PDB file of all heavy atoms in Angstrom:
ATOM      1  N   SER A  81      21.625   0.506  31.727  1.00 87.00           N
ATOM      2  CA  SER A  81      21.363   1.896  31.345  1.00 87.00           C
ATOM      3  C   SER A  81      22.084   2.255  30.044  1.00 87.00           C
ATOM      4  O   SER A  81      21.541   2.972  29.205  1.00 87.00           O
ATOM      5  CB  SER A  81      21.784   2.844  32.468  1.00 87.00           C
ATOM      6  OG  SER A  81      23.179   2.731  32.682  1.00 87.00           O
ATOM      7  N   SER A  82      23.297   1.708  29.841  1.00 89.00           N
ATOM      8  CA  SER A  82      24.000   2.065  28.614  1.00 89.00           C
ATOM      9  C   SER A  82      23.346   1.416  27.396  1.00 89.00           C
ATOM     10  O   SER A  82      23.228   2.044  26.349  1.00 89.00           O
ATOM     11  CB  SER A  82      25.490   1.705  28.701  1.00 89.00           C
ATOM     12  OG  SER A  82      25.643   0.299  28.776  1.00 89.00           O
ATOM     13  N   SER A  83      22.873   0.178  27.515  1.00 87.00           N
ATOM     14  CA  SER A  83      22.220  -0.418  26.343  1.00 87.00           C
ATOM     15  C   SER A  83      20.833   0.182  26.134  1.00 87.00           C
ATOM     16  O   SER A  83      20.374   0.301  24.993  1.00 87.00           O
ATOM     17  CB  SER A  83      22.187  -1.952  26.416  1.00 87.00           C
ATOM     18  OG  SER A  83      21.475  -2.390  27.512  1.00 87.00           O
ATOM     19  N   ASP A  84      20.174   0.600  27.203  1.00 86.00           N
ATOM     20  CA  ASP A  84      18.894   1.291  27.043  1.00 86.00           C
ATOM     21  C   ASP A  84      19.069   2.577  26.240  1.00 86.00           C
ATOM     22  O   ASP A  84      18.244   2.919  25.390  1.00 86.00           O
ATOM     23  CB  ASP A  84      18.276   1.638  28.405  1.00 86.00           C
ATOM     24  CG  ASP A  84      17.590   0.430  29.033  1.00 86.00           C
ATOM     25  OD1 ASP A  84      17.497  -0.609  28.342  1.00 86.00           O
ATOM     26  OD2 ASP A  84      17.170   0.511  30.200  1.00 86.00           O
ATOM     27  N   ALA A  85      20.158   3.285  26.525  1.00 89.00           N
ATOM     28  CA  ALA A  85      20.401   4.539  25.815  1.00 89.00           C
ATOM     29  C   ALA A  85      20.624   4.270  24.321  1.00 89.00           C
ATOM     30  O   ALA A  85      20.122   5.006  23.472  1.00 89.00           O
ATOM     31  CB  ALA A  85      21.605   5.257  26.411  1.00 89.00           C
ATOM     32  N   VAL A  86      21.354   3.189  24.006  1.00 89.00           N
ATOM     33  CA  VAL A  86      21.588   2.846  22.603  1.00 89.00           C
ATOM     34  C   VAL A  86      20.259   2.511  21.933  1.00 89.00           C
ATOM     35  O   VAL A  86      19.937   3.000  20.843  1.00 89.00           O
ATOM     36  CB  VAL A  86      22.572   1.661  22.486  1.00 89.00           C
ATOM     37  CG1 VAL A  86      22.678   1.198  21.028  1.00 89.00           C
ATOM     38  CG2 VAL A  86      23.936   2.052  23.018  1.00 89.00           C
ATOM     39  N   ASN A  87      19.461   1.693  22.618  1.00 86.00           N
ATOM     40  CA  ASN A  87      18.156   1.328  22.053  1.00 86.00           C
ATOM     41  C   ASN A  87      17.282   2.549  21.813  1.00 86.00           C
ATOM     42  O   ASN A  87      16.594   2.659  20.802  1.00 86.00           O
ATOM     43  CB  ASN A  87      17.419   0.359  22.991  1.00 86.00           C
ATOM     44  CG  ASN A  87      17.879  -1.069  22.773  1.00 86.00           C
ATOM     45  OD1 ASN A  87      18.271  -1.437  21.674  1.00 86.00           O
ATOM     46  ND2 ASN A  87      17.858  -1.860  23.829  1.00 86.00           N
ATOM     47  N   GLN A  88      17.326   3.462  22.776  1.00 87.00           N
ATOM     48  CA  GLN A  88      16.498   4.663  22.644  1.00 87.00           C
ATOM     49  C   GLN A  88      16.956   5.506  21.445  1.00 87.00           C
ATOM     50  O   GLN A  88      16.138   6.004  20.680  1.00 87.00           O
ATOM     51  CB  GLN A  88      16.576   5.476  23.935  1.00 87.00           C
ATOM     52  CG  GLN A  88      15.475   6.524  24.041  1.00 87.00           C
ATOM     53  CD  GLN A  88      15.687   7.460  25.230  1.00 87.00           C
ATOM     54  OE1 GLN A  88      16.467   7.180  26.132  1.00 87.00           O
ATOM     55  NE2 GLN A  88      14.986   8.581  25.221  1.00 87.00           N
ATOM     56  N   TRP A  89      18.291   5.632  21.310  1.00 88.00           N
ATOM     57  CA  TRP A  89      18.801   6.395  20.168  1.00 88.00           C
ATOM     58  C   TRP A  89      18.361   5.743  18.858  1.00 88.00           C
ATOM     59  O   TRP A  89      17.913   6.412  17.927  1.00 88.00           O
ATOM     60  CB  TRP A  89      20.328   6.494  20.225  1.00 88.00           C
ATOM     61  CG  TRP A  89      20.888   7.239  19.041  1.00 88.00           C
ATOM     62  CD1 TRP A  89      21.019   8.587  18.907  1.00 88.00           C
ATOM     63  CD2 TRP A  89      21.345   6.668  17.803  1.00 88.00           C
ATOM     64  NE1 TRP A  89      21.524   8.898  17.670  1.00 88.00           N
ATOM     65  CE2 TRP A  89      21.733   7.742  16.967  1.00 88.00           C
ATOM     66  CE3 TRP A  89      21.461   5.361  17.318  1.00 88.00           C
ATOM     67  CZ2 TRP A  89      22.240   7.548  15.680  1.00 88.00           C
ATOM     68  CZ3 TRP A  89      21.958   5.160  16.036  1.00 88.00           C
ATOM     69  CH2 TRP A  89      22.350   6.240  15.226  1.00 88.00           C
ATOM     70  N   ILE A  90      18.484   4.418  18.801  1.00 87.00           N
ATOM     71  CA  ILE A  90      18.107   3.711  17.570  1.00 87.00           C
ATOM     72  C   ILE A  90      16.634   3.948  17.269  1.00 87.00           C
ATOM     73  O   ILE A  90      16.251   4.302  16.147  1.00 87.00           O
ATOM     74  CB  ILE A  90      18.417   2.200  17.692  1.00 87.00           C
ATOM     75  CG1 ILE A  90      19.935   1.990  17.752  1.00 87.00           C
ATOM     76  CG2 ILE A  90      17.811   1.426  16.521  1.00 87.00           C
ATOM     77  CD1 ILE A  90      20.363   0.555  17.989  1.00 87.00           C
ATOM     78  N   ASP A  91      15.798   3.785  18.289  1.00 83.00           N
ATOM     79  CA  ASP A  91      14.357   3.966  18.091  1.00 83.00           C
ATOM     80  C   ASP A  91      14.020   5.362  17.613  1.00 83.00           C
ATOM     81  O   ASP A  91      13.364   5.554  16.593  1.00 83.00           O
ATOM     82  CB  ASP A  91      13.625   3.745  19.421  1.00 83.00           C
ATOM     83  CG  ASP A  91      13.109   2.326  19.524  1.00 83.00           C
ATOM     84  OD1 ASP A  91      13.367   1.545  18.588  1.00 83.00           O
ATOM     85  OD2 ASP A  91      12.473   1.997  20.539  1.00 83.00           O
ATOM     86  N   GLU A  92      14.478   6.325  18.393  1.00 84.00           N
ATOM     87  CA  GLU A  92      14.003   7.689  18.160  1.00 84.00           C
ATOM     88  C   GLU A  92      14.734   8.382  17.012  1.00 84.00           C
ATOM     89  O   GLU A  92      14.127   9.126  16.254  1.00 84.00           O
ATOM     90  CB  GLU A  92      14.134   8.514  19.443  1.00 84.00           C
ATOM     91  CG  GLU A  92      13.205   7.986  20.530  1.00 84.00           C
ATOM     92  CD  GLU A  92      13.337   8.741  21.846  1.00 84.00           C
ATOM     93  OE1 GLU A  92      14.119   9.720  21.893  1.00 84.00           O
ATOM     94  OE2 GLU A  92      12.673   8.342  22.816  1.00 84.00           O
ATOM     95  N   LYS A  93      16.022   8.141  16.922  1.00 85.00           N
ATOM     96  CA  LYS A  93      16.800   8.869  15.904  1.00 85.00           C
ATOM     97  C   LYS A  93      16.938   8.068  14.613  1.00 85.00           C
ATOM     98  O   LYS A  93      16.600   8.548  13.539  1.00 85.00           O
ATOM     99  CB  LYS A  93      18.197   9.209  16.439  1.00 85.00           C
ATOM    100  CG  LYS A  93      18.191   9.927  17.772  1.00 85.00           C
ATOM    101  CD  LYS A  93      17.649  11.337  17.650  1.00 85.00           C
ATOM    102  CE  LYS A  93      17.545  11.957  19.040  1.00 85.00           C
ATOM    103  NZ  LYS A  93      16.853  13.242  19.024  1.00 85.00           N
TER     104      LYS A  93
END
Side-chain angles (χ1 to χ4, degrees):
Chain A
S81 63
S82 66
S83 61
D84 280 353
V86 173
N87 277 330
Q88 196 188 344
W89 178 85
I90 293 175
D91 264 2
E92 294 178 3
K93 307 291 175 188

